[in-house]
Amino acid sequence: YKTLDKIILVSAPDDLRIARVLNRDKHRQARDVQAIISNQMPEAEKALLADYIIKNDDHNMLIPQVLTLHNAF
C-alpha cells in the first residue's frame, strides 16, 4: 500500500457483507464468512490507511460516490 498513489476503501457493515456472501455462495455458512472476516485487517485500520472511503451499505447510494471520485481524478 505504501507504493500506491491513493487508496480507496469500499466499506460495508459486517452483517451486510455476510448476507451478500451467503446469497452469492450457497455452500458457505455464516460462521465460515465471519471467520474469513475476522482474519482480515479490521475495518477501522483500513479506514486509517484510506484516502477515500466509499460506503457500500443500504443507506448511501453507491454510484454517486463512485462518480464523485471518478470526477476528482
Side-chain angles (χ1 to χ4, degrees), residues 2 5-6 10 12 14 17 22 25 27 30 34-37 39-40 47 50-52 54 57-58 60 64 66-67 69:
K2 294 179 181 180
D5 294 331
K6 298 291 179 190
V10 179
D14 284 353
R17 293 171 64 193
L22 294 176
D25 300 341
H27 67 281
Q34 185 59 52
I36 293 168
I37 291 172
N39 283 323
Q40 296 176 351
D51 298 294
Y52 305 97
I54 293 175
D57 57 20
D58 293 332
N60 297 282
V66 172
L67 290 175
L69 283 181

Side-chain angles (χ1 to χ4, degrees), residues 19-47:
R20 288 174 175 168
V21 172
L22 294 176
N23 188 47
R24 182 190 69 210
D25 300 341
K26 302 299 183 193
H27 67 281
R28 295 203 186 267
Q29 295 183 0
R31 68 175 181 268
D32 301 327
V33 181
Q34 185 59 52
I36 293 168
I37 291 172
S38 66
N39 283 323
Q40 296 176 351
M41 180 187 293
E43 201 76 4
E45 286 183 45
K46 293 178 191 176

Side-chain angles (χ1 to χ4, degrees), residues 8-13 16 20 43 47 52-66 69:
I8 300 171
L9 170 64
V10 179
S11 178
L16 183 55
R20 288 174 175 168
E43 201 76 4
Y52 305 97
I53 299 174
I54 293 175
K55 296 185 184 287
N56 187 5
D57 57 20
D58 293 332
H59 304 291
N60 297 282
M61 293 180 60
L62 187 62
I63 299 300
Q65 294 177 81
V66 172
L69 283 181

